[in-house]
Amino acid sequence: MIQYLLEAITFQLAFLLGYDLFLKRETFFQWNRVYLLGMFVFSMVLPWIKIEALKTTIDSETMVYPEFLGQLGKVALTENITDEGLFWEWFSTYEWIFLLGALTMAFSLLGKLYQIQNLRSKGEVRYYKGFTKITVKKSTVAFSFFKQVFLGDAIPSKRASQILAHELVHVRQWHSLDLLFFELMRIIMWFNPLVYLYQRRMVELHEFIADAEVAKEDKPAHYQMLLSEAFQTKSLSFVNQFFRKTLLKNRIVMLRKEKSNQVRLLKYLALLPLFLMMVVYTSCEMEEKKMENLESTELNVTAITEQVPFMLVQDVPVFPGCEGSADIKACFVEKIQTHIRKHFNYPKEAQDLGVEGRVAVMFTIDKNGEITNIQKRGPHALLENEVERIIQRLPQMQPGKHKGEVVEVPFSLPVNFKLE
């Protein structure tokens, strides 16, 4: 997942730099809108294409442990062997940080929606063909959200008509849908600063589009209106606001700009090599893995016939006491957890040092039903050794079978040590 995020963010950055360098100052507004949305989505999809390809080419020995990793729920242990605090062990520290960030952004979005609904409930609502106008009392706000146009009653009537025409461009072209998409991306990828930059570029582009449409009728008056208005804004990142100080200069510059020559559309082709480089990058990695796979075909066949992951084996190993159980696999899981809790002894030295954390342990149930090849990784050797000691005391089992043949079954589980 870390590799995917790094690649996606790198691709997004490359496409955004391409936009700022080649396209931002052109008047091909609708093409730029498609570019920003399309390249953002493409940047998120492209790394997955590579990852899916790798899943089909990686050798079977490497696949074994991801297949069965997490096949058991975590076993959380304290010095008193209680179940308290298990809920907090469901996720790692990084997962909790991600979830808290996502929840914060989600509540922020709900707060913005509430502000809009609150303005609507206090305003004067009138329905027209294709849109709803909400007049906000004692205000100069002006913005649109989907088919709703909010206008303050303090805006002079002559200017209000031009502002309304401007906002109706946003309504007709569904600009709010673009901003809501990036608002949802801010929840999912709140840690990615490029999401905010893409949304800012899209807001600016929406204003260029609407200004260009309205200015066709009365460009000088539109300039004067933009320059002389008193500003009052709502801090809502996903509505199309008419009065936005940070965009005013850019909007006027773009209005004065001559329409770009059609030849300049070739600039989009200039970005084609960037697009192809990314595709080649993922394809080359995939091809390289394919070559590695071809070179190790003999080893892969051997691994498949001798080892089958616990989640894939047809007849899982039978833990003593599970014979005749209706669900051998569930019984196996329960017995493993019971065994660990029964034989657990929090090392005194680890308690004195304040050592706690997760130990990932992997082992194999061989063709004789015995425990072999114990591997462990944790925050301290004291905890690793304790887990190894417990696993070594597992009883001999009936070996697993796959397609009628006795096979080795690799197995893994995380054991969490927690001090109270």
Side-chain angles (χ1 to χ4, degrees):
M1 183 57 71
I2 297 298
Q3 181 182 356
Y4 162 75
L5 291 174
L6 290 175
E7 290 179 350
I9 292 173
T10 301
F11 294 157
Q12 289 169 6
L13 178 60
F15 285 128
L16 187 62
L17 289 175
Y19 174 81
D20 284 348
L21 291 174
F22 295 98
L23 307 176
K24 185 178 178 180
R25 295 174 182 80
E26 302 299 333
T27 61
F28 305 121
F29 303 134
Q30 297 296 351
W31 280 100
N32 285 351
R33 180 186 179 189
V34 172
Y35 176 89
L36 285 177
L37 283 172
M39 293 303 101
F40 186 89
V41 173
F42 176 75
S43 298
M44 297 178 66
V45 172
L46 182 58
W48 283 118
I49 296 174
K50 179 195 67 177
I51 293 173
E52 289 299 320
L54 289 177
K55 285 182 181 178
T56 62
T57 60
I58 194 167
D59 65 88
S60 60
E61 284 188 335
T62 307
M63 286 180 64
V64 165
Y65 292 114
E67 290 275 2
F68 67 87
L69 187 62
Q71 57 207 10
L72 268 183
K74 299 174 185 175
V75 180
L77 303 170
T78 67
E79 57 269 45
N80 294 326
I81 321 180
T82 65
D83 289 335
E84 293 182 6
L86 287 179
F87 170 76
W88 301 104
E89 299 296 334
W90 290 356
F91 302 105
S92 67
T93 302
Y94 296 109
E95 289 170 337
W96 275 117
I97 292 173
F98 169 79
L99 289 173
L100 290 174
L103 285 174
T104 300
M105 297 307 297
F107 281 119
S108 175
L109 175 58
L110 291 175
K112 295 170 187 177
L113 291 171
Y114 173 78
Q115 290 184 55
I116 293 175
Q117 182 58 35
N118 189 45
L119 279 178
R120 181 187 173 96
S121 63
K122 293 180 180 179
E124 179 185 343
V125 181
R126 291 187 178 181
Y127 297 93
Y128 298 89
K129 184 179 180 180
F131 73 100
T132 302
K133 180 182 176 183
I134 296 95
T135 302
V136 184
K137 297 179 180 179
K138 299 179 181 180
S139 174
T140 58
V141 297
F143 68 90
S144 60
F145 180 63
F146 285 96
K147 292 192 174 184
Q148 302 176 95
V149 178
F150 293 79
L151 291 177
D153 61 1
I155 299 175
S157 58
K158 290 184 179 179
R159 292 176 178 177
S161 62
Q162 291 176 307
I163 294 173
L164 179 60
H166 176 101
E167 296 303 323
L168 287 179
V169 177
H170 295 311
V171 171
R172 289 193 299 269
Q173 298 195 17
W174 293 92
H175 289 171
S176 294
L177 204 58
D178 300 350
L179 300 185
L180 186 59
F181 166 76
F182 284 111
E183 202 72 20
L184 294 175
M185 290 300 101
R186 286 170 62 164
I187 296 175
I188 298 172
M189 303 183 71
W190 58 267
F191 50 86
N192 179 8
L194 296 179
V195 177
Y196 306 87
L197 293 179
Y198 268 85
Q199 188 180 40
R200 190 176 301 172
R201 298 293 190 279
M202 186 60 74
V203 168
E204 181 181 62
L205 192 56
H206 287 169
E207 298 309 314
F208 292 164
I209 293 172
D211 287 340
E213 289 292 323
V214 177
K216 289 178 182 178
E217 302 297 329
D218 195 358
K219 184 177 289 190
H222 201 60
Y223 288 157
Q224 183 64 32
M225 179 180 59
L226 289 172
L227 287 169
S228 63
E229 277 294 347
F231 296 96
Q232 181 178 344
T233 62
K234 300 294 292 182
S235 57
L236 302 173
S237 60
F238 71 135
V239 298
N240 295 108
Q241 302 176 30
F242 185 83
F243 301 130
R244 195 186 291 258
K245 294 179 183 179
T246 56
L247 295 183
L248 181 62
K249 180 180 177 181
N250 290 342
R251 288 169 65 182
I252 294 176
V253 168
M254 193 58 69
L255 275 169
R256 293 182 179 276
K257 188 176 180 65
E258 292 294 330
K259 188 175 181 180
S260 298
N261 191 297
Q262 293 296 311
V263 176
R264 291 181 175 269
L265 281 170
L266 295 175
K267 283 190 172 184
Y268 292 95
L269 294 179
L271 294 172
L272 186 60
L274 178 63
F275 176 89
L276 293 176
M277 283 174 59
M278 295 178 184
V279 175
V280 169
Y281 164 75
T282 57
S283 299
C284 285
E285 265 201 350
M286 180 173 62
E287 193 66 29
E288 180 182 349
K289 290 294 181 181
K290 285 182 178 178
M291 293 301 295
E292 292 176 5
N293 195 48
L294 288 173
E295 292 171 0
S296 59
T297 300
E298 185 176 349
L299 292 175
N300 289 343
V301 171
T302 303
I304 290 172
T305 56
E306 290 187 352
Q307 284 195 347
V308 181
F310 183 84
M311 297 301 292
L312 300 180
V313 68
Q314 291 178 345
D315 298 317
V316 299
V318 180
F319 200 102
C322 290
E323 298 87 350
S325 175
D327 190 338
I328 299 295
K329 188 173 291 187
C331 183
F332 183 95
V333 170
E334 182 182 352
K335 291 289 186 180
I336 286 282
Q337 292 178 332
T338 301
H339 171 87
I340 292 175
R341 294 183 186 280
K342 178 180 178 181
H343 296 280
F344 163 72
N345 180 29
Y346 209 121
K348 183 65 168 60
E349 188 176 351
Q351 294 183 46
D352 294 339
L353 294 173
V355 176
E356 59 181 2
R358 177 192 298 180
V359 176
V361 59
M362 304 184 229
F363 57 90
T364 300
I365 304 166
D366 68 13
K367 295 181 179 181
N368 296 320
E370 297 178 349
I371 305 303
T372 62
N373 192 27
I374 300 175
Q375 302 178 52
K376 72 278 184 189
R377 176 177 295 179
H380 198 281
L382 289 170
L383 303 186
E384 292 179 352
N385 293 338
E386 173 60 16
V387 171
E388 182 175 12
R389 182 188 68 81
I390 295 172
I391 298 302
Q392 286 176 340
R393 298 190 65 172
L394 283 169
Q396 186 173 1
M397 310 176 194
Q398 293 182 24
K401 293 183 179 180
H402 192 73
K403 296 182 180 180
E405 295 185 7
V406 176
V407 294
E408 295 181 347
V409 179
F411 196 83
S412 170
L413 77 156
V415 179
N416 286 328
F417 288 78
K418 186 171 180 61
L419 292 168
E420 288 189 340

